[in-house]
Structure formats: C-alpha cells, structure tokens
Amino acid sequence: MKSKVVLSALALLFAAGAMAQDCTFFFPQTKGTQLVKKGYDAKGNLQSVMTYTVDEVKNIPSGLEVEADYVFVNNAGTVYDKGDLEAFCQNGEFFMEMKEVLSNPSFVSTVQSDVAATDAVINYPSVSNAPSGNGNDMYFDDAYIQIYSKKNRKDRKNVSIYDREYVTTEQVTTPAGTFDCTKVKYKIKSRSPKETIEGYGYEWYAPNVGVVKNEQYNNNNQLQYYTVLEVVK
C-alpha cells in the first residue's frame, strides 16, 4: 500500500512537471527582472509609462506563478497607480492579470489621477499548442475590467476586450530588442458616464517577456495609440 502511495505521488509530480512544460510563460521568470513599457498617442507623443519588476517566483501544482510590482505614471511622471499583478500557468495555459491595460493611455485619459483596476485575468495560449499548428483552433477568453478613480468611483471606465483571434507569428523589433511574437487581433469597447469608444487593436506577445507591442485603432481604421516595450533588464 505504501509503495502505491509513493508511486501515485511521483505520478502527480511528473504530471505537474509536464503541465508546466506545456505552458508557454509570457512573462519574465527571473526575480528582479524589470520591464518598462511606454504608451504614445497617434502622433508619437508620450502619454504614459508602466514599469514592472518581478518580485516573487514560485512553483505551484499547475506550473509556475510570478508576482510583479508595477508603477504606472503619466507623461509628467505623476503616479496614477501602483501595486502588484500575478502571472501564472493553469492547466497548461498562461494567464495574466488585466492591470496590464492601465498602460493604455486612452483608457485612463479621462480619469485624472489615483486610478485603480478591478481584478481580472486574461489568457495567452501558445500557438505551438494549437491542434492545427497555425493558431486557428486556439480559444481566447474575453476580458472585462473596470478602471476607476480612487477618489471617485463614479469616475470610471468599463473596458471589454472580445473576439480575440490569432493573426500570425512574426518578429518584432523594439528598443528592448527583437522578439519572436504571436500577433493577436481583438475588438475593444470602453464605456464611461461621458462616452463610449469602440475599436480594435493588435498585440504582439513573446515567450518569457509578454506583450512587447500594442496598437489600437478606431472603427475608421485610424491609429489612436500604441505601446512599446522599451527596456528589459
């Protein structure tokens, strides 16, 4: 009986290890690693800076979990928000908290200071795991997040990201380097008491790094903003 228990435990251990290998992790896994992303308007004017620092890395039954501190500032250096976010593997798929969207200047432009975001996660499946090998069979979750002013909860935006789909794999060069990326298209809707904005966007994400580039357009195909990974150190 005891040997069966030991064998069962080993089987679970190996299963967890296999699951961790199947999960492509789209965020740095080394404690102390820092990412700096900058957001620009359509004319190339700096709007925001998001800095992430990996604070903790730990193994969990489904694979790996990373906690990172972040600081979000506007172009004048005023801190809009700071806190932590989690990235993790679950059942062979990668997930990250949606506080990433705070780096999108169009979402926070009307929320003047001290912003916060509700907890929500979004998945980033690996193209190599798709049955057809080209990403067409990949399932992307929709996402919903609320961004609001800490001083006035009525000063808020409800952001929906939906109809996400794989586009292609390609190399992307940013000031932080050149990365092999998965390109995904998505639709987006931002609602606030003052306005509703709809459009679409593209994001490019790379293994062990995350989103290295993001572009958002309105429904007239006009570029509204973009973010770029500037530093990895």
Side-chain angles (χ1 to χ4, degrees), residues 34-232:
Q34 189 173 84
L35 306 177
V36 179
K37 297 181 182 180
K38 293 185 178 180
Y40 301 87
D41 65 18
K43 295 181 179 180
N45 299 310
L46 179 66
Q47 300 294 302
S48 62
V49 180
M50 180 79 91
T51 302
Y52 306 88
T53 305
V54 176
D55 182 57
E56 187 176 359
V57 180
K58 57 186 177 182
N59 290 311
I60 58 176
S62 59
L64 188 69
E65 182 176 278
V66 167
E67 183 177 293
D69 297 328
Y70 70 87
V71 179
F72 173 58
V73 302
N74 64 10
N75 57 356
T78 301
V79 176
Y80 270 156
D81 190 34
K82 58 183 178 180
D84 57 68
L85 61 80
E86 288 185 341
F88 58 90
C89 284
Q90 181 174 300
N91 298 325
E93 195 168 31
F94 176 77
F95 291 85
M96 188 169 71
E97 284 191 66
M98 282 295 292
K99 292 170 184 175
E100 166 85 13
V101 302
L102 287 173
S103 62
N104 181 326
S106 66
F107 293 164
V108 297
S109 59
T110 59
V111 182
Q112 296 301 318
S113 62
D114 291 329
V115 301
T118 55
D119 291 331
V121 296
I122 197 166
N123 71 325
Y124 288 91
S126 172
V127 172
S128 62
N129 290 341
S132 64
N134 61 11
N136 292 333
D137 299 313
M138 294 164 61
Y139 175 76
F140 290 89
D141 293 333
D142 293 340
Y144 174 84
I145 188 170
Q146 185 181 85
I147 299 171
Y148 60 90
S149 169
K150 295 176 182 178
K151 295 179 180 179
N152 180 10
R153 288 295 291 261
K154 293 183 179 180
D155 186 7
R156 69 187 188 278
K157 285 191 174 184
N158 298 322
V159 181
S160 298
I161 298 175
Y162 58 100
D163 288 354
R164 300 164 68 214
E165 60 180 359
Y166 168 82
V167 178
T168 188
T169 55
E170 60 186 15
Q171 281 196 335
V172 173
T173 298
T174 76
T178 299
F179 306 92
D180 294 319
C181 294
T182 297
K183 181 181 179 181
V184 170
K185 183 179 180 180
Y186 59 89
K187 294 180 181 178
I188 193 161
K189 180 180 289 186
S190 172
R191 298 186 184 93
S192 73
K194 297 180 180 179
E195 61 182 358
T196 295
I197 300 174
E198 295 185 72
Y200 65 94
Y202 299 94
E203 63 181 7
W204 291 259
Y205 57 89
N208 302 313
V209 180
V211 179
V212 302
K213 183 181 176 183
N214 195 340
E215 295 176 351
Q216 186 183 329
Y217 298 81
N218 62 22
N219 285 334
N220 293 321
N221 302 317
Q222 297 170 321
L223 179 67
Q224 300 298 295
Y225 93 100
Y226 61 96
T227 62
V228 177
L229 180 63
E230 300 277 347
V231 176
V232 179

Side-chain angles (χ1 to χ4, degrees), residues 23-30 33 35 64 179 206-210 232:
C23 179
T24 303
F25 211 83
F26 295 106
F27 203 78
Q29 304 173 38
T30 304
T33 300
L35 306 177
L64 188 69
F179 306 92
N208 302 313
V209 180
V232 179

